[in-house]
Amino acid sequence: MNLNKNRNKLIIIFLIILGIILVTLSITKGSVKIPIKEVIAILFNQDSVSKSHKLIILELRIPRTISAIMVGMSLAISGAVFQTLFKNPLTEPYLLGISSGAALGVAIASVFGFVNIIGGIWGTFSFAFVFAILTALIIFTLAGKNRSSLTILLLSGLAINFFLSALNSLLLYFNKDKLENIIYWQMGSFNLSSYEKIIVTMPIMIILIIVLLSKTKELDVLLLSDDTATSIGLDVKKQRIRLLLITTLLTSICVGLAGVIGFIGLIIPHIVKLLFGVKHKNVLPLSLYLGAIFTLLCDILSRTLISNTEIPIGIITALFGAPFFLYILRKTKVNAL
Amino acid sequence: MNIKVNELNYSYVNNPIFDSINLEFSKNKFHGILGPNGCGKTTLLKTILKLLKVNQDSIYINNEDILDIERYSLAKKISYVEQNSTQLPHISVRDYINLSRYLYNDYNKETNETINNIISLLKIEKLELKFIDELSGGELQKVIIARALSQETKILILDEPTANLDPLHQVEIMNLLSNLVEEKQITIITTLHDINLALSYCDNVVLINKDQIIQGPTKEVINKTNIKNYFNLNSHFIKNPFTDKDYVILNQ
């Protein structure tokens, strides 16, 4: 036990150092490299700094870094909750098509100009949420009582993803002028992060995350079969609907902020469970932290791998995520399928 | 705590399973429920646990209609051991037992007296730090019973606790349950397949088959006529030399 505690301490110290390094890199790296000394000077508002560099740091990179941290935390915690809700190690909002649903909502809103009716950012987020909820409902109905059956759930998610991407392609086909905009939502990017968006979304995200963190006991009990969990005193149906609504809302906010970014909700909770066990008291906070640093890492890679070009972050996370998915699939007992 | 089933009707997809049945499970007794596969044994347990919807005035616990008892309050009265719990999270035995403390203030506390007492009562100290998905069938069943006991209820309902266990573990589990009734003064209701286990351990039994149901003291209910009627088997009774109770040999 002591050995385990020491190991955990070491891992946590390593993660904290990694976090500091990644935040520093996220602010200093990019198409324009700005040395850390200058960044500090900018942060302390000294006069000696270049105006363009100041603009890049304060108006682009800091909001971008904050967005990446918030989105990473939200996607990872949503994935962790989804895996418990569906009693299934291979689920997350992206794989079940919920992120794509939100993205379709955003695309429809922007192509048909609905965004302006409700008003800018709120319009985008409302459409993302409504479409994400609709997708979640369809998945829940399709999977029915077989929620924990991997095959049914994943195939339902696959079918929904196909359907949504067909609708997205249709929108693209008839609106070639908005191609870039729609592709951006489909592949994810923090390129358009802004303080305006952060101010609108961050308080909601923080509240939703706090609500999830207060549900660790309920989530633990949800690891059991529905009948046993009910006999222990948990209102399974009510809790499941609540948790599904909260995570779907969080996911749609993430899509509204940065488009569709897959696999974070799959990879991060898995690594956390592997290192620290399945109890949600550990899984949720550690998923938040690891989700944030992993997303930061992917975002840094997305803008530094090829100079002067930004690769959509969804591509980077999928390059990590898809092989990881296969790895978990191989590890999952065949009889669970 | 006693349980009264009053004119209970229950249908599954328009197929009536129970038609106005009446039963009474008296407190501090070991009750067995027997019957052929598909006769509704598990359904009966689930109606008592409020896991299936029943009509008003169908089931009473200490004269209180279960429909009027909130879920959290019911969970402090009845605990449940499901049949073949296959859905097992990868957590330690102690953490698993702790899940039943969900409604109590000591949930997740490292030193939990209730859990300590139950672990020593069931003599499963050696298993405490093992993961539940690594246990053998017999060990697992004990741990699941420990989890149900840590809910500290006066009624324990089990669905075929001896299924898939070797004879040694079957006897071990039945002895354990029988001791719990005596030492902890709890009421146990369990479904069983083995008529001889019921003869050796149960105070009262319920026999169910299609539209017939009978309840009473084990010795009276389990007889040649009822075994023929309910199981369609011939039987021959002898004395069990170890317990001096009835032992039945079955034949088609």
Side-chain angles (χ1 to χ4, degrees), chain A residues 87 148 217-218 220-221 223-225 227-228 230-234 278-279 281, chain B residues 46 51 71 75 80 82 87 90-91 95-96 99-100 102-103 107-108 147 151:
Chain A
K87 297 191 170 77
S148 56
K217 233 165 82 163
E218 285 75 9
D220 280 349
V221 178
L223 289 170
L224 299 166
S225 76
D227 280 349
T228 301
T230 309
S231 76
I232 284 173
L234 186 78
V278 299
K279 290 186 81 178
K281 184 180 79 171
Chain B
K46 286 191 177 178
L51 293 172
R71 176 57 62 197
Y80 179 42
E82 250 182 292
Q87 219 161 54
H90 183 67
I91 54 177
D95 284 343
Y96 177 71
L99 291 177
S100 274
Y102 165 65
L103 289 174
Y107 183 89
N108 257 348
R147 197 221 70 229
Q151 220 169 308

Short mmCIF file of all heavy atoms in Angstrom, two decimals, chain A residues 87 148 217-218 220-221 223-225 227-228 230-234 278-279 281, chain B residues 46 51 71 75 80 82 87 90-91 95-96 99-100 102-103 107-108 147 151:
data_model
loop_
_atom_site.label_atom_id
_atom_site.label_comp_id
_atom_site.label_asym_id
_atom_site.label_seq_id
_atom_site.Cartn_x
_atom_site.Cartn_y
_atom_site.Cartn_z
N LYS A 87 -22.02 1.73 -18.67
CA LYS A 87 -21.31 0.54 -18.18
C LYS A 87 -20.49 -0.08 -19.31
O LYS A 87 -20.57 -1.27 -19.59
CB LYS A 87 -22.30 -0.49 -17.64
CG LYS A 87 -23.08 0.01 -16.45
CD LYS A 87 -23.83 -1.09 -15.78
CE LYS A 87 -24.41 -0.65 -14.46
NZ LYS A 87 -25.60 0.17 -14.58
N SER A 148 -25.32 -1.79 -22.01
CA SER A 148 -23.96 -2.23 -21.72
C SER A 148 -23.44 -3.20 -22.79
O SER A 148 -22.31 -3.63 -22.72
CB SER A 148 -23.89 -2.87 -20.34
OG SER A 148 -24.81 -3.91 -20.26
N LYS A 217 -20.21 9.60 -5.55
CA LYS A 217 -20.82 8.48 -4.83
C LYS A 217 -21.85 7.78 -5.72
O LYS A 217 -21.86 6.55 -5.83
CB LYS A 217 -21.54 9.04 -3.59
CG LYS A 217 -21.15 8.39 -2.31
CD LYS A 217 -21.59 9.20 -1.12
CE LYS A 217 -23.04 8.99 -0.73
NZ LYS A 217 -23.37 9.45 0.62
N GLU A 218 -22.70 8.58 -6.35
CA GLU A 218 -23.74 8.02 -7.22
C GLU A 218 -23.10 7.27 -8.38
O GLU A 218 -23.55 6.19 -8.76
CB GLU A 218 -24.63 9.14 -7.77
CG GLU A 218 -25.63 9.72 -6.78
CD GLU A 218 -24.99 10.64 -5.74
OE1 GLU A 218 -23.80 10.98 -5.88
OE2 GLU A 218 -25.69 11.00 -4.77
N ASP A 220 -20.15 5.84 -8.42
CA ASP A 220 -19.61 4.58 -7.90
C ASP A 220 -20.69 3.51 -7.88
O ASP A 220 -20.48 2.38 -8.34
CB ASP A 220 -19.09 4.76 -6.46
CG ASP A 220 -17.72 5.41 -6.40
OD1 ASP A 220 -17.09 5.52 -7.47
OD2 ASP A 220 -17.28 5.78 -5.30
N VAL A 221 -21.86 3.86 -7.34
CA VAL A 221 -22.94 2.88 -7.21
C VAL A 221 -23.45 2.46 -8.60
O VAL A 221 -23.85 1.30 -8.80
CB VAL A 221 -24.09 3.42 -6.32
CG1 VAL A 221 -25.23 2.44 -6.24
CG2 VAL A 221 -23.57 3.72 -4.92
N LEU A 223 -21.75 1.72 -10.99
CA LEU A 223 -20.88 0.67 -11.53
C LEU A 223 -21.54 -0.70 -11.36
O LEU A 223 -21.22 -1.66 -12.05
CB LEU A 223 -19.53 0.65 -10.80
CG LEU A 223 -18.57 1.81 -11.07
CD1 LEU A 223 -17.40 1.75 -10.09
CD2 LEU A 223 -18.05 1.75 -12.50
N LEU A 224 -22.48 -0.79 -10.40
CA LEU A 224 -23.17 -2.06 -10.17
C LEU A 224 -24.32 -2.21 -11.17
O LEU A 224 -24.67 -1.27 -11.87
CB LEU A 224 -23.74 -2.07 -8.75
CG LEU A 224 -22.71 -1.95 -7.62
CD1 LEU A 224 -23.40 -1.63 -6.31
CD2 LEU A 224 -21.92 -3.23 -7.49
N SER A 225 -24.93 -3.40 -11.17
CA SER A 225 -26.08 -3.59 -12.06
C SER A 225 -27.20 -2.65 -11.61
O SER A 225 -27.24 -2.23 -10.46
CB SER A 225 -26.56 -5.03 -11.99
OG SER A 225 -27.27 -5.22 -10.79
N ASP A 227 -30.34 -3.17 -10.97
CA ASP A 227 -31.17 -3.68 -9.87
C ASP A 227 -30.46 -3.58 -8.53
O ASP A 227 -31.05 -3.17 -7.54
CB ASP A 227 -31.55 -5.15 -10.13
CG ASP A 227 -32.71 -5.26 -11.12
OD1 ASP A 227 -33.32 -4.21 -11.42
OD2 ASP A 227 -32.99 -6.38 -11.58
N THR A 228 -29.17 -3.95 -8.52
CA THR A 228 -28.42 -3.86 -7.26
C THR A 228 -28.28 -2.40 -6.83
O THR A 228 -28.50 -2.06 -5.66
CB THR A 228 -27.04 -4.53 -7.39
OG1 THR A 228 -27.25 -5.89 -7.76
CG2 THR A 228 -26.27 -4.50 -6.09
N THR A 230 -30.25 0.03 -7.47
CA THR A 230 -31.54 0.49 -6.97
C THR A 230 -31.78 -0.04 -5.56
O THR A 230 -32.24 0.70 -4.69
CB THR A 230 -32.67 0.00 -7.90
OG1 THR A 230 -32.34 0.36 -9.24
CG2 THR A 230 -34.01 0.64 -7.55
N SER A 231 -31.44 -1.31 -5.33
CA SER A 231 -31.69 -1.89 -4.01
C SER A 231 -30.81 -1.24 -2.94
O SER A 231 -31.14 -1.26 -1.76
CB SER A 231 -31.48 -3.41 -4.04
OG SER A 231 -30.11 -3.70 -4.05
N ILE A 232 -29.70 -0.64 -3.36
CA ILE A 232 -28.83 0.05 -2.40
C ILE A 232 -29.40 1.42 -2.04
O ILE A 232 -29.03 2.04 -1.06
CB ILE A 232 -27.40 0.15 -2.98
CG1 ILE A 232 -26.71 -1.21 -2.86
CG2 ILE A 232 -26.57 1.21 -2.31
CD1 ILE A 232 -25.38 -1.30 -3.53
N GLY A 233 -30.35 1.89 -2.87
CA GLY A 233 -31.03 3.16 -2.54
C GLY A 233 -30.86 4.25 -3.57
O GLY A 233 -31.24 5.40 -3.34
N LEU A 234 -30.27 3.93 -4.72
CA LEU A 234 -30.05 4.95 -5.74
C LEU A 234 -31.22 4.98 -6.71
O LEU A 234 -31.69 3.94 -7.16
CB LEU A 234 -28.76 4.63 -6.51
CG LEU A 234 -28.32 5.68 -7.52
CD1 LEU A 234 -27.66 6.84 -6.80
CD2 LEU A 234 -27.34 5.10 -8.53
N VAL A 278 -10.84 2.49 -10.35
CA VAL A 278 -12.08 2.99 -10.97
C VAL A 278 -12.95 3.87 -10.06
O VAL A 278 -14.00 4.32 -10.47
CB VAL A 278 -12.96 1.83 -11.51
CG1 VAL A 278 -12.24 1.04 -12.56
CG2 VAL A 278 -13.42 0.92 -10.38
N LYS A 279 -12.51 4.11 -8.83
CA LYS A 279 -13.37 4.92 -7.96
C LYS A 279 -13.42 6.37 -8.43
O LYS A 279 -12.39 6.98 -8.71
CB LYS A 279 -12.86 4.84 -6.51
CG LYS A 279 -13.09 3.47 -5.92
CD LYS A 279 -12.74 3.42 -4.47
CE LYS A 279 -13.86 3.99 -3.63
NZ LYS A 279 -13.55 3.90 -2.19
N LYS A 281 -14.03 9.13 -7.06
CA LYS A 281 -13.37 10.14 -6.23
C LYS A 281 -11.99 10.47 -6.82
O LYS A 281 -11.51 11.60 -6.75
CB LYS A 281 -13.23 9.52 -4.83
CG LYS A 281 -12.68 10.37 -3.76
CD LYS A 281 -12.62 9.60 -2.46
CE LYS A 281 -11.42 8.66 -2.42
NZ LYS A 281 -11.19 8.05 -1.11
N LYS B 46 -38.48 -9.54 -7.08
CA LYS B 46 -38.35 -8.17 -7.59
C LYS B 46 -39.56 -7.30 -7.25
O LYS B 46 -39.43 -6.09 -7.14
CB LYS B 46 -38.10 -8.19 -9.10
CG LYS B 46 -36.69 -8.63 -9.45
CD LYS B 46 -36.38 -8.40 -10.90
CE LYS B 46 -34.95 -8.77 -11.21
NZ LYS B 46 -34.65 -8.59 -12.64
N LEU B 51 -38.61 -3.41 -7.51
CA LEU B 51 -37.86 -3.27 -8.76
C LEU B 51 -38.81 -3.43 -9.94
O LEU B 51 -38.48 -3.09 -11.07
CB LEU B 51 -36.74 -4.32 -8.85
CG LEU B 51 -35.61 -4.17 -7.85
CD1 LEU B 51 -34.67 -5.36 -7.89
CD2 LEU B 51 -34.83 -2.89 -8.11
N ARG B 71 -37.49 5.16 -1.99
CA ARG B 71 -36.41 4.25 -2.35
C ARG B 71 -35.32 4.18 -1.27
O ARG B 71 -34.88 3.12 -0.87
CB ARG B 71 -35.82 4.70 -3.70
CG ARG B 71 -34.64 3.94 -4.21
CD ARG B 71 -34.86 2.46 -4.36
NE ARG B 71 -35.88 2.09 -5.31
CZ ARG B 71 -36.45 0.88 -5.34
NH1 ARG B 71 -36.08 -0.05 -4.47
NH2 ARG B 71 -37.38 0.59 -6.21
N ALA B 75 -34.29 0.95 1.04
CA ALA B 75 -32.93 0.40 1.02
C ALA B 75 -32.39 0.19 2.43
O ALA B 75 -31.40 -0.51 2.62
CB ALA B 75 -32.01 1.32 0.22
N TYR B 80 -30.38 -6.87 -1.14
CA TYR B 80 -30.63 -7.81 -2.24
C TYR B 80 -29.33 -8.39 -2.78
O TYR B 80 -28.36 -7.67 -3.02
CB TYR B 80 -31.36 -7.03 -3.34
CG TYR B 80 -31.72 -7.79 -4.61
CD1 TYR B 80 -32.21 -9.09 -4.55
CD2 TYR B 80 -31.58 -7.19 -5.85
CE1 TYR B 80 -32.57 -9.76 -5.72
CE2 TYR B 80 -31.94 -7.84 -7.02
CZ TYR B 80 -32.43 -9.14 -6.95
OH TYR B 80 -32.77 -9.79 -8.10
N GLU B 82 -28.34 -10.36 -6.02
CA GLU B 82 -28.85 -10.78 -7.32
C GLU B 82 -28.31 -12.16 -7.73
O GLU B 82 -27.26 -12.57 -7.24
CB GLU B 82 -28.36 -9.79 -8.37
CG GLU B 82 -29.43 -8.93 -8.94
CD GLU B 82 -28.85 -8.02 -10.02
OE1 GLU B 82 -28.05 -7.13 -9.67
OE2 GLU B 82 -29.19 -8.22 -11.18
N GLN B 87 -22.00 -8.38 -13.53
CA GLN B 87 -21.50 -7.04 -13.73
C GLN B 87 -20.64 -6.61 -12.56
O GLN B 87 -21.13 -6.06 -11.59
CB GLN B 87 -22.68 -6.10 -13.86
CG GLN B 87 -22.47 -5.06 -14.91
CD GLN B 87 -23.79 -4.47 -15.31
OE1 GLN B 87 -24.53 -4.03 -14.48
NE2 GLN B 87 -24.08 -4.47 -16.59
N HIS B 90 -14.00 -3.45 -11.52
CA HIS B 90 -12.66 -3.84 -11.09
C HIS B 90 -12.28 -3.03 -9.85
O HIS B 90 -11.52 -2.06 -9.92
CB HIS B 90 -11.68 -3.59 -12.25
CG HIS B 90 -10.28 -4.02 -11.94
ND1 HIS B 90 -9.92 -5.33 -11.75
CD2 HIS B 90 -9.15 -3.30 -11.76
CE1 HIS B 90 -8.63 -5.39 -11.48
NE2 HIS B 90 -8.15 -4.18 -11.48
N ILE B 91 -12.88 -3.41 -8.70
CA ILE B 91 -12.55 -2.72 -7.46
C ILE B 91 -12.26 -3.75 -6.37
O ILE B 91 -12.60 -4.91 -6.52
CB ILE B 91 -13.67 -1.75 -6.98
CG1 ILE B 91 -15.01 -2.47 -6.88
CG2 ILE B 91 -13.76 -0.55 -7.85
CD1 ILE B 91 -16.12 -1.57 -6.34
N ASP B 95 -13.74 -1.99 -1.14
CA ASP B 95 -14.43 -0.91 -1.84
C ASP B 95 -15.81 -1.36 -2.32
O ASP B 95 -16.77 -0.59 -2.33
CB ASP B 95 -13.61 -0.43 -3.05
CG ASP B 95 -12.44 0.42 -2.63
OD1 ASP B 95 -12.46 0.90 -1.48
OD2 ASP B 95 -11.50 0.60 -3.43
N TYR B 96 -15.89 -2.61 -2.75
CA TYR B 96 -17.16 -3.16 -3.22
C TYR B 96 -18.18 -3.20 -2.08
O TYR B 96 -19.32 -2.76 -2.23
CB TYR B 96 -16.93 -4.55 -3.80
CG TYR B 96 -18.18 -5.25 -4.26
CD1 TYR B 96 -18.84 -4.83 -5.41
CD2 TYR B 96 -18.72 -6.33 -3.56
CE1 TYR B 96 -20.00 -5.46 -5.84
CE2 TYR B 96 -19.86 -6.97 -3.98
CZ TYR B 96 -20.50 -6.54 -5.12
OH TYR B 96 -21.65 -7.15 -5.54
N LEU B 99 -19.76 0.10 -1.19
CA LEU B 99 -20.82 0.68 -2.04
C LEU B 99 -22.18 0.62 -1.35
O LEU B 99 -23.02 1.50 -1.56
CB LEU B 99 -20.89 -0.06 -3.38
CG LEU B 99 -19.71 0.14 -4.33
CD1 LEU B 99 -19.88 -0.71 -5.57
CD2 LEU B 99 -19.57 1.60 -4.72
N SER B 100 -22.39 -0.39 -0.53
CA SER B 100 -23.68 -0.50 0.16
C SER B 100 -23.84 0.52 1.28
O SER B 100 -24.91 0.63 1.87
CB SER B 100 -23.86 -1.90 0.75
OG SER B 100 -24.40 -2.74 -0.23
N TYR B 102 -23.73 3.57 0.70
CA TYR B 102 -24.10 4.76 -0.08
C TYR B 102 -25.00 5.72 0.71
O TYR B 102 -24.84 6.93 0.67
CB TYR B 102 -24.79 4.30 -1.37
CG TYR B 102 -25.54 5.38 -2.11
CD1 TYR B 102 -24.86 6.46 -2.66
CD2 TYR B 102 -26.92 5.32 -2.26
CE1 TYR B 102 -25.55 7.45 -3.33
CE2 TYR B 102 -27.61 6.30 -2.94
CZ TYR B 102 -26.93 7.37 -3.47
OH TYR B 102 -27.61 8.35 -4.13
N LEU B 103 -25.97 5.16 1.44
CA LEU B 103 -26.92 6.02 2.15
C LEU B 103 -26.43 6.45 3.53
O LEU B 103 -27.11 7.17 4.23
CB LEU B 103 -28.26 5.29 2.31
CG LEU B 103 -29.08 5.09 1.04
CD1 LEU B 103 -30.30 4.24 1.35
CD2 LEU B 103 -29.52 6.42 0.46
N TYR B 107 -19.69 6.44 4.26
CA TYR B 107 -19.30 5.98 2.92
C TYR B 107 -17.86 6.41 2.62
O TYR B 107 -17.49 7.56 2.87
CB TYR B 107 -20.25 6.58 1.88
CG TYR B 107 -19.98 6.12 0.46
CD1 TYR B 107 -20.58 4.98 -0.04
CD2 TYR B 107 -19.11 6.83 -0.37
CE1 TYR B 107 -20.32 4.55 -1.32
CE2 TYR B 107 -18.85 6.40 -1.66
CZ TYR B 107 -19.46 5.26 -2.13
OH TYR B 107 -19.20 4.83 -3.41
N ASN B 108 -17.07 5.47 2.13
CA ASN B 108 -15.67 5.76 1.73
C ASN B 108 -14.73 6.05 2.90
O ASN B 108 -13.59 6.44 2.67
CB ASN B 108 -15.61 6.94 0.76
CG ASN B 108 -15.38 6.44 -0.65
OD1 ASN B 108 -15.06 5.27 -0.84
ND2 ASN B 108 -15.54 7.30 -1.63
N ARG B 147 -21.58 -7.49 1.14
CA ARG B 147 -22.01 -6.18 0.64
C ARG B 147 -23.46 -5.91 1.02
O ARG B 147 -23.81 -4.83 1.52
CB ARG B 147 -21.86 -6.13 -0.88
CG ARG B 147 -21.87 -4.73 -1.46
CD ARG B 147 -22.68 -4.68 -2.75
NE ARG B 147 -24.09 -4.86 -2.46
CZ ARG B 147 -24.87 -5.70 -3.10
NH1 ARG B 147 -24.41 -6.45 -4.06
NH2 ARG B 147 -26.15 -5.80 -2.77
N GLN B 151 -25.45 -3.14 4.30
CA GLN B 151 -26.57 -2.20 4.16
C GLN B 151 -27.37 -2.14 5.47
O GLN B 151 -28.26 -1.31 5.61
CB GLN B 151 -27.46 -2.69 3.02
CG GLN B 151 -28.01 -1.59 2.12
CD GLN B 151 -28.64 -2.19 0.88
OE1 GLN B 151 -28.01 -3.00 0.19
NE2 GLN B 151 -29.87 -1.83 0.59
#
